[in-house]
Amino acid sequence: MTLDQKKLDMETIVSLCKRRGFIFQSSEIYGGLASTWDYGPLGSELKRNVKDAWWKAVVHNRDDVVGLDAAILMHPETWRASGHAENFTDLLVDDKKTKKRYRYDHLSEEEKAKVGTEYTEPRAFNLMLQTSLGAMEDSSSKVYLRPETAQGIFVNFKNVIDATSRKLPFGIAQIGKSFRNEITAGNFTFRMREFEQMEIEYFTNPEEAEEFYKQWIETRFNWYTDLGIRKENLRLREHAKDELAHYARGCTDVEYQFPFGWSELEGIADRTDYDLKQHAQFSGKDLQYHDQVNNKKFYPYVIEPSGGVDRATLAFLVDAYHEEDVEGSKRVVLKFDKKLAPIKVAVLPLLKKNAGIVELAKKIKTDLQSNLTCTYNDTAAIGKLYRRQDEVGTVYCVTVDVDSLEDKQVTVRDRDTMKQERIPLDNLKSYLVEKLS
Ligand code: GAP
């Protein structure tokens, strides 16, 4: 029996994440810092696998996208040009009685009717975090922590073209930290003040932008399902005109059905030529594309698939979570896609007091770890060890027993089917590498 996804609550996920070392509250010993989270030993592996899968899909497996790793701190003019200094705001209201602050767009219609009486009039609040550079803390030293990675791509558009001689259409992809002074926090790692984005700016001829917009929506939806997210938990939602960011003429979100409701994982936006034009105007540099075949200069349009690493990681965690009834007892298992599973193989000795078994098990782990992420564990009886590995999504368990010393075979147990197979030691590595590739 598998637990109905809709009955899953976030508390179950949050507590598993803490207990097993996926995600911890940031600075917990000091009472925590709101909306910031730390990834533990398993969480950091999982998140790294999510980023690697994305990079492979959008950079290594394509001919038309190159990578970039731009700085978090950028010239302050960047944010005036991009419009963030002026427009990257949330409308906030205060409850006059409790003094609590709310996002205006999160109020119900009933609550909105109380604006002016029980709530203050909405005021714009800029979400960018500021810091200062150098020894002087004056207005000239003020810089922002980037609220999106995208601008690092736009300001490097010319550099990339000059360095790579790319022709349209082509994309620049980047993964990195972004920061937003989010007012309404909550829902675990869904809305954070420090988070990671994985963004592509795909530059096209203006006439082809609509076609690539459609293509990228499909490509990005399929990325999630190819990595195991169930189709019924994913949907596309097109933005209404009044929802669009200041730079976009169209946007479609890939949404996931979290336990707290359908919410955005990624947005695919048509940013037109807005950003390149703005940066050209503010920097005074020529950022037009030179079409040498037709001897034409113009600003390309940009299609932007922009996803959150933390939101994707959370969706993969939630979707992987299964509870099964196995002979009357509950088995919790994270059925991650094998590419994403933080640990691919656990090597377990059946008897930890048998020096020969322990030695062989450790040797097997050393041999496998150059190809696969492995762990060794001898801290409990085998049944318990299996359950612990299931709970963190380890794809295979390799058990070494007394017979292994004689017949040079080990037992390989599959996480999902729980089926066990005896595999000769000589073939073990190639067997596992093949199964996991
Ligand atoms: N460059 C476009 C852009 O930044 P966005 O919709 O504001 O667009 C893109 O952000 C993605 O970044 C979102 O779909 C989400 O996955 C992630 N994201 C945005 N704000 C976030 C936050 N406060 N915490 C976690 N992830 C966030």
Side-chain angles (χ1 to χ4, degrees), residues 370-383:
S370 52
N371 296 69
L372 303 163
T373 317
C374 295
T375 188
Y376 168 89
N377 198 330
D378 63 8
T379 57
I382 195 70

Side-chain angles (χ1 to χ4, degrees), residues 88 147-148 150 180 182 189-193 195-197 199 201 247 264-267 271 304 306-311:
F88 198 54
E148 60 170 15
R180 295 182 189 180
E182 298 282 3
T189 53
F190 181 80
R191 195 177 304 284
M192 298 157 86
R193 292 193 167 121
F195 55 97
E196 267 186 285
Q197 289 185 307
E199 299 198 292
E201 306 305 323
Y247 48 74
E264 174 190 343
L265 277 185
E266 168 159 354
R271 287 182 86 126
E304 177 194 64
S306 170
V309 178
D310 310 273
R311 285 190 190 176

Side-chain angles (χ1 to χ4, degrees), residues 1-2 227-228 319-326 331-339 341 343-344 386-387 389-397 412-420 435-436:
M1 182 203 76
T2 302
L227 286 170
D319 218 75
Y321 186 90
H322 287 75
E323 285 180 8
E324 295 173 354
D325 182 357
V326 178
R331 176 172 96 115
V332 172
V333 52
L334 291 182
K335 294 189 175 178
F336 289 123
D337 180 275
K338 59 192 178 187
K339 286 196 202 79
I343 301 171
K344 312 297 183 210
Y386 282 153
R387 290 300 155 89
Q389 295 302 326
D390 290 343
E391 205 186 28
V392 299
T394 303
V395 193
Y396 291 105
C397 288
V412 176
R413 173 186 178 271
D414 179 294
R415 175 196 68 196
D416 297 340
T417 62
M418 290 184 285
K419 283 210 175 105
Q420 304 190 3
K435 287 266 187 194
L436 287 160

Side-chain angles (χ1 to χ4, degrees), residues 94-105:
D94 292 335
D95 183 323
K96 288 184 183 170
K97 224 189 249 160
T98 64
K99 308 287 177 218
K100 279 199 174 144
R101 196 159 274 185
Y102 299 97
R103 261 173 69 168
Y104 178 73
D105 62 333

